[in-house]
Amino acid sequence: MTDVTFDAHLIDRLRSAQHIVVLTGAGMSAESGIATFRQGPSALWTNVDPEEVATPKAFGRDPERVWRWHLERRDSMAAAQPNPGHIALAELEQHVPRLTLITQNVDGLHRRAGSHNVIELHGNLLQARCATEGTIYDTWPAPPPLPRCPECNALLRPNVVWFGERLDSALLEQAQAASFDCDMLIAIGTSGLVAPAATFPMNARAQRALLIEINPEKTPLSRHVRYGFRQPVGHVLPALVAAAWPPSARALAPLGSPATIKT
Ligand SMILES: [Zn+2]
């Protein structure tokens, strides 16, 4: 793996950033062994029709089938581990005044890596929600029988956004607001094709935020960024955080000095 280098301007901007927005897509979790949507033989939709398992209509028609498919996916996600990229983002959050992590992934790996300020735009497959009034549950009785809402007895459904469904408007508003407020945006493993996520980097750029992309593949966003890294995220992010806040400097620095981690 070729060594990744960072110029002084990038390191300065990172150290002095007041609000960083990080936008992550399927490529962020691919290095944890989670299938992306369309790439490669193990791609998610190679063997199943999304209309059969990931739409409100499918749930109305055959909730058992929908639950079975989502539980298989949940189990494979639960078995995956946060990769060094996830862990570096959790550490980065400790170094800067504010970091908003907007993810299109439903695997919950950012939270498991220790990130706090996470907006899960497409939901979280480790959760369920009431199909009627929307209450979200972290624990619920796995089917069979079909799980029901303890509040209103309606069916519970996987807490993910299905095809043909709108994103949660409150989460979307939070993400939009953050993208208009940040001074740096890092786009990781996302194609930058899917709206509304694709608008966030453009909002940030309109505010003169520094745009960075980490993605082995070029994307439509690539021509708009100031820094583009084509190496794996698990390689680039830990190196970037260590370059800005060298572990040795952190160990030596007296408590409370800029180089130390917020406790
Ligand atoms: Zn309910």
Side-chain angles (χ1 to χ4, degrees):
M1 177 90 49
T2 51
D3 249 0
V4 57
T5 55
F6 312 104
D7 68 13
H9 173 256
L10 172 55
I11 297 301
D12 286 349
R13 289 288 298 265
L14 191 58
R15 285 186 180 144
S16 61
Q18 292 306 304
H19 182 192
I20 298 178
V21 164
V22 178
L23 175 63
T24 69
M28 178 83 217
S29 294
E31 292 170 35
S32 294
I34 294 186
T36 62
F37 295 102
R38 301 196 189 276
Q39 281 152 345
S42 65
L44 193 57
W45 302 121
T46 305
N47 310 314
V48 66
D49 176 358
E51 295 294 328
E52 297 288 317
V53 293
T55 63
K57 253 197 186 150
F59 189 66
R61 201 173 42 235
D62 189 349
E64 279 88 359
R65 168 138 200 235
V66 170
W67 262 117
R68 216 170 31 251
W69 184 79
H70 281 77
L71 288 176
E72 277 162 28
R73 248 188 108 200
R74 183 203 60 179
D75 294 346
S76 68
M77 286 182 173
Q81 294 304 317
N83 63 53
H86 291 107
I87 292 158
L89 285 176
E91 191 190 328
L92 179 59
E93 188 178 13
Q94 302 292 317
H95 285 297
V96 296
R98 191 170 167 214
L99 187 147
T100 305
L101 206 167
I102 305 167
T103 187
Q104 297 164 299
N105 300 336
V106 296
D107 51 44
L109 286 174
H110 284 302
R111 290 191 194 285
R112 283 168 55 198
S115 288
H116 299 287
N117 190 17
V118 183
I119 300 174
E120 293 168 318
L121 273 183
H122 294 167
N124 184 325
L125 199 47
L126 308 183
Q127 298 170 325
R129 91 166 178 259
C130 171
T132 300
E133 26 88 10
T135 307
I136 294 173
Y137 297 94
D138 289 320
T139 55
W140 32 277
L146 288 171
R148 289 194 171 271
C149 172
E151 296 295 325
C152 73
N153 205 37
L155 278 182
L156 292 183
R157 51 165 285 175
N159 180 31
V160 291
V161 178
W162 284 329
F163 289 92
E165 286 190 314
R166 287 172 171 281
L167 301 187
D168 179 291
S169 54
L171 294 180
L172 189 51
E173 247 168 65
Q174 282 175 38
Q176 294 279 17
S179 68
F180 278 114
D181 174 71
C182 64
D183 46 17
M184 178 180 283
L185 185 141
I186 311 175
I188 303 171
T190 180
S191 67
L193 283 170
V194 184
T199 63
F200 302 150
M202 296 304 124
N203 299 344
R205 198 177 70 141
Q207 314 305 310
R208 300 189 180 290
L210 186 72
L211 290 190
I212 301 162
E213 182 182 52
I214 304 174
N215 197 322
E217 320 255 330
K218 273 204 162 196
T219 72
L221 181 62
S222 303
R223 64 192 173 88
H224 299 291
V225 304
R226 174 74 187 275
Y227 296 97
F229 298 97
R230 301 276 157 250
Q231 292 99 334
V233 60
H235 182 64
V236 175
L237 273 175
L240 181 60
V241 174
W245 296 277
S248 55
R250 256 179 282 143
L252 293 170
L255 261 185
S257 78
T260 56
I261 294 187
K262 279 186 291 182
T263 51

